[in-house]
Amino acid sequence: MARFEHTVTVAALDRHWFEEAAGHAVDLFDASREQDGAILLPDGRPIHGLRLLKGRHLQAGAWYGESPEEKDGEDGKGASEAAPEAAPEAAVLREWMPSRTVEVESRVAEEGMSLRVGVRLREPRTPKALEVSLDGHNPKGGSLYRFSGRAKADLHAWWAALERPSSAPPAARAPVVGTAKHRLGRARLTVTPRPAEDGTWRVSVVLSVRGRWLLRPVAAVGLLFARGPVERGFREGVDSAAEEWAELLAELPSLHGEALRAEIADALTTP
């Protein structure tokens, strides 16, 4: 087994702002309505890039996507009547209970690969946990073209880890854990934050990789020669994610209340 670890310092995200923004976003969707396939916010503006393809809006089993405008009206069918399975990207709503759980499953076909991504958010108005699943395969390939992954972010544990004194050791259990499986091997990724004295976050990312079954010796030999490039790639990936996080925080509005709700509504409706 090979183990890689890298720690970066990133700007902190205000928990209260994050939970307020999540609450506004959920409330806007919960108050939205469907009209001729378009999803309208309470003020009547359509959400950009989102249409109802099949089913009833905000009901389990509803399909959403973005139908090409040129297909609207072909053979007498509008966007709401189009077959969702035919769209290159479509999402089906599995559960909509804003006070408890929101679950969405997305299906994407790209470059010969078929991907299914599931996202489950617990207590969406004040997010408690985020779970993501990924399954991919090439319909024309064998087992080498299949892979899967699972990840869970325990947001309650994340915030708790950041409330510890900066001098305290990091949390014993990582708030974010992800696993990936393939015929040739499996990987496990953990993310653990801790507060720094200047108010920033110190985030440690650990990646463990190992071969599976009889392929373990082969994988061990391969990692022996490739460890340097793999470790460099891992560190560069973590550093890049930290840079993207900084860019994201810089773009977030420092608003609250109705001003923040209006900003989120504008973002949802702007092309």
Side-chain angles (χ1 to χ4, degrees), residues 87 93 168 207 262:
L93 184 65
L207 173 65

Side-chain angles (χ1 to χ4, degrees), residues 34 37 39 51-65 67 78-86 90-93:
E34 181 267 339
I39 307 303
R51 297 185 64 83
L52 180 68
L53 304 181
K54 182 179 180 181
R56 298 182 61 184
H57 180 48
L58 295 183
Q59 297 293 317
W63 283 83
Y64 296 89
S67 299
S80 60
E81 300 177 68
E85 296 84 355
V92 58
L93 184 65

Side-chain angles (χ1 to χ4, degrees), residues 98-162:
S99 61
R100 294 176 55 187
T101 306
V102 171
E103 184 175 358
V104 179
E105 182 181 287
S106 177
R107 299 181 183 181
V108 181
E110 185 175 353
E111 296 182 357
M113 293 297 296
S114 177
L115 303 176
R116 183 175 63 183
V117 182
V119 178
R120 184 181 182 88
L121 185 61
R122 298 185 182 276
E123 300 185 21
R125 286 194 171 95
T126 54
K128 182 177 181 180
L130 176 67
E131 301 171 14
V132 179
S133 63
L134 170 66
D135 294 280
H137 73 284
N138 184 331
K140 298 181 179 180
S143 59
L144 289 176
Y145 294 87
R146 292 181 178 273
F147 59 90
S148 63
R150 301 290 183 272
K152 180 177 180 179
D154 185 335
L155 298 178
H156 179 74
W158 179 276
W159 298 119
L162 292 166

Side-chain angles (χ1 to χ4, degrees), residues 15 30 47 86 94 103-104 107 113 117 121 127 153 201 206 210 221 249 270:
R15 176 180 183 177
D30 197 43
I47 296 178
R94 295 300 185 191
E103 184 175 358
V104 179
R107 299 181 183 181
M113 293 297 296
V117 182
L121 185 61
W201 294 349
V206 178
R210 67 187 305 169
V221 172
L249 288 190
T270 302

Side-chain angles (χ1 to χ4, degrees), residues 20-268:
E20 182 184 1
H24 285 316
V26 171
D27 288 342
L28 284 169
F29 275 101
D30 197 43
S32 65
R33 68 184 190 279
E34 181 267 339
Q35 180 177 310
D36 297 327
I39 307 303
L40 308 180
L41 292 182
D43 61 9
R45 289 183 294 169
I47 296 178
H48 175 69
L50 184 66
R51 297 185 64 83
L52 180 68
L53 304 181
K54 182 179 180 181
R56 298 182 61 184
H57 180 48
L58 295 183
Q59 297 293 317
W63 283 83
Y64 296 89
E66 184 177 10
S67 299
E69 292 182 0
E70 61 270 16
K71 289 187 176 296
D72 291 355
E74 287 186 3
D75 300 324
K77 294 184 178 181
S80 60
E81 300 177 68
E85 296 84 355
E89 296 186 18
V92 58
L93 184 65
R94 295 300 185 191
E95 188 172 1
W96 180 264
M97 299 181 67
S99 61
R100 294 176 55 187
T101 306
V102 171
E103 184 175 358
V104 179
E105 182 181 287
S106 177
R107 299 181 183 181
V108 181
E110 185 175 353
E111 296 182 357
M113 293 297 296
S114 177
L115 303 176
R116 183 175 63 183
V117 182
V119 178
R120 184 181 182 88
L121 185 61
R122 298 185 182 276
E123 300 185 21
R125 286 194 171 95
T126 54
K128 182 177 181 180
L130 176 67
E131 301 171 14
V132 179
S133 63
L134 170 66
D135 294 280
H137 73 284
N138 184 331
K140 298 181 179 180
S143 59
L144 289 176
Y145 294 87
R146 292 181 178 273
F147 59 90
S148 63
R150 301 290 183 272
K152 180 177 180 179
D154 185 335
L155 298 178
H156 179 74
W158 179 276
W159 298 119
L162 292 166
E163 291 174 355
R164 299 160 62 93
S166 59
S167 58
R173 183 174 65 88
V176 179
V177 178
T179 59
K181 295 181 180 179
H182 185 268
R183 180 183 175 185
L184 298 180
R186 62 188 305 168
R188 185 174 189 268
L189 183 77
T190 63
V191 182
T192 306
R194 60 186 302 182
E197 293 182 358
D198 61 357
T200 59
W201 294 349
R202 295 280 291 167
V203 181
S204 296
V205 184
V206 178
L207 173 65
S208 301
V209 183
R210 67 187 305 169
R212 301 186 71 186
W213 303 310
L214 298 177
L215 296 173
R216 288 180 182 175
V218 178
V221 172
L223 285 171
L224 179 63
F225 291 99
R227 184 179 182 90
V230 171
E231 185 168 13
R232 284 194 297 272
F234 168 69
R235 287 176 173 270
E236 291 172 359
V238 175
D239 289 339
S240 177
E243 293 173 0
E244 292 178 3
W245 173 263
E247 293 174 0
L248 173 64
L249 288 190
E251 295 175 357
L252 294 179
S254 56
L255 303 173
H256 293 278
E258 286 303 315
L260 178 57
R261 180 186 174 94
E263 184 74 12
I264 294 173
D266 288 344
L268 290 173

